[in-house]
């Protein structure tokens, strides 16, 4: 649940602050900066399609880990490079958001057996991260004099946790569930 909470928080944070970042880094007005936000949606779609193709050859956990690491790299660039290219990096993060929600969902409910309904419901409720994490991003920006670049540390840290979850899923795959009513040895 934490991985899903943090993913939704990271996605909303990256998208919610794209226009402010573009205005700050590119010295442009809101209308011009909105182009960057529109571009994030196209990047998201492309990243999702590529991830779907990759998951035919690799495990979903591995794709999630790779995408997460690449998102971290782009977020670090966004934070550290003080020019308009940081905005392009922030837009590029959207490429690596595409597979996260369904992949985290699938990895989490896999093997829950009879508890799949409850687990799935809890995962859906974790979208509240999209209302929580951007608050921290805004507070960090305010605490640093409105520095939007520094605020992108919040989604970066979210992706560190997501990558850790993906690695855990690769190392410790869940055992297959026994059919309902089956007797298993303890």
């Amino acid at each position: 649940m934490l991985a899903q909470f943090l993913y939704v928080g990271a996605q909303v944070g990256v998208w919610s602050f794209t226009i402010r970042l573009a205005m700050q880094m590119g010295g442009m007005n809101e209308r011009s900066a909105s182009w960057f936000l529109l571009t994030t949606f196209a990047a998201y779609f492309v990243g999702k399609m590529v991830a779907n193709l990759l998951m035919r050859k690799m495990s979903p956990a591995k794709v999630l880990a790779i995408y997460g690491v690449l998102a971290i790299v782009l977020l670090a660039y966004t934070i550290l490079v003080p020019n308009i290219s940081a905005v392009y990096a922030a837009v590029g993060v959207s490429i690596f958001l595409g597979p996260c929600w369904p992949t985290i969902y699938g990895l989490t409910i896999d093997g829950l057996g009879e508890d799949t309904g409850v687990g799935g419901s809890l995962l859906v409720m974790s979208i509240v991260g999209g209302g929580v994490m951007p608050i921290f991003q805004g507070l960090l920006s305010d605490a640093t004099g409105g520095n939007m670049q520094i605020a992108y540390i919040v989604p970066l840290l979210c992706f560190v946790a997501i990558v850790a979850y993906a690695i855990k899923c690769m190392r410790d795959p869940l055992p297959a569930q026994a059919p309902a009513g089956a007797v298993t040895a303890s």
Side-chain angles (χ1 to χ4, degrees):
M1 275 182 49
L2 180 62
Q4 198 73 290
F5 176 91
L6 294 173
Y7 160 68
V8 177
Q11 177 182 346
V12 172
V14 167
W15 287 356
S16 294
F17 293 98
T18 297
I19 292 174
R20 281 189 61 199
L21 180 68
M23 289 171 60
Q24 189 175 80
M25 302 308 296
M28 56 187 76
N29 62 31
E30 282 184 49
R31 184 179 179 99
S32 298
S34 67
W35 177 87
F36 288 100
L37 181 60
L38 292 173
T39 305
T40 63
F41 303 137
Y44 177 84
F45 176 76
V46 168
K48 192 170 192 66
M49 294 300 108
V50 171
N52 288 342
L53 293 172
L54 289 173
M55 285 186 204
R56 292 180 182 181
K57 304 277 185 201
M58 294 184 229
S59 74
K62 187 171 187 175
V63 172
L64 181 63
I66 291 168
Y67 266 49
V69 167
L70 294 171
I72 289 168
V73 169
L74 288 177
L75 286 164
Y77 187 94
T78 300
I79 294 163
L80 297 172
V81 177
N83 61 44
I84 191 70
S85 67
V87 181
Y88 289 99
V91 169
V93 170
S94 292
I95 294 169
F96 305 110
L97 296 174
C100 293
W101 168 266
T103 304
I104 293 169
Y105 187 92
L107 290 170
T108 304
I109 65 167
D110 188 34
L112 289 181
E114 293 178 12
D115 295 325
T116 299
V118 173
S121 297
L122 292 171
L123 282 169
V124 169
M125 287 188 276
S126 68
I127 65 171
V128 74
V132 174
M133 298 313 291
I135 292 170
F136 292 113
Q137 199 169 348
L139 289 172
L140 185 55
S141 171
D142 291 347
T144 58
N147 187 328
M148 285 312 308
Q149 283 185 281
I150 296 296
Y152 275 79
I153 288 173
V154 173
L156 184 144
L157 293 175
C158 291
F159 269 100
V160 168
I162 292 164
V163 168
Y165 176 70
I167 291 169
K168 179 196 173 300
C169 289
M170 288 187 310
R171 288 187 179 155
D172 303 323
L174 294 172
Q177 289 287 318
V183 177
T184 57
S186 296

